[in-house]
Amino acid sequence: MNFFKIKTSWSNAEFIPLKLCIATAYILIGTYFHNFFRDYYIPVFIIFCITVIWSVYMWLSKMKNNS
């Protein structure tokens, strides 16, 4: 399976959505254990969904360009 062997290069600006995606995932996990973020659950979930789609799209387009 060559899917995991394809190498891509990312600029620092392209890491922003990925880092935001990971950060919102941590916040979503934190909402399960703590009530502090309960009021912000919907906006954080929306940001998480958008950044997941954005990150996967950039990753797949980079893989397609490099192969």
Side-chain angles (χ1 to χ4, degrees), residues 2-46:
N2 292 331
F3 182 73
F4 295 110
K5 293 181 181 180
I6 298 173
K7 295 185 180 189
T8 61
S9 61
W10 293 69
S11 69
N12 289 335
E14 291 172 331
F15 272 119
I16 293 171
L18 181 63
K19 289 180 180 182
L20 187 59
C21 171
I22 293 168
T24 53
Y26 286 140
I27 292 172
L28 286 172
I29 292 168
T31 59
Y32 183 77
F33 297 107
H34 198 275
N35 293 328
F36 179 74
F37 289 106
R38 183 177 286 184
D39 296 334
Y40 306 106
Y41 189 71
I42 301 288
V44 168
F45 187 73
I46 290 170

Side-chain angles (χ1 to χ4, degrees), residues 37-62:
F37 289 106
R38 183 177 286 184
D39 296 334
Y40 306 106
Y41 189 71
I42 301 288
V44 168
F45 187 73
I46 290 170
I47 292 171
F48 173 71
C49 290
I50 290 170
T51 55
V52 163
I53 293 168
W54 191 0
S55 298
V56 169
Y57 172 76
M58 285 194 309
W59 181 37
L60 292 176
S61 66
K62 285 188 166 291

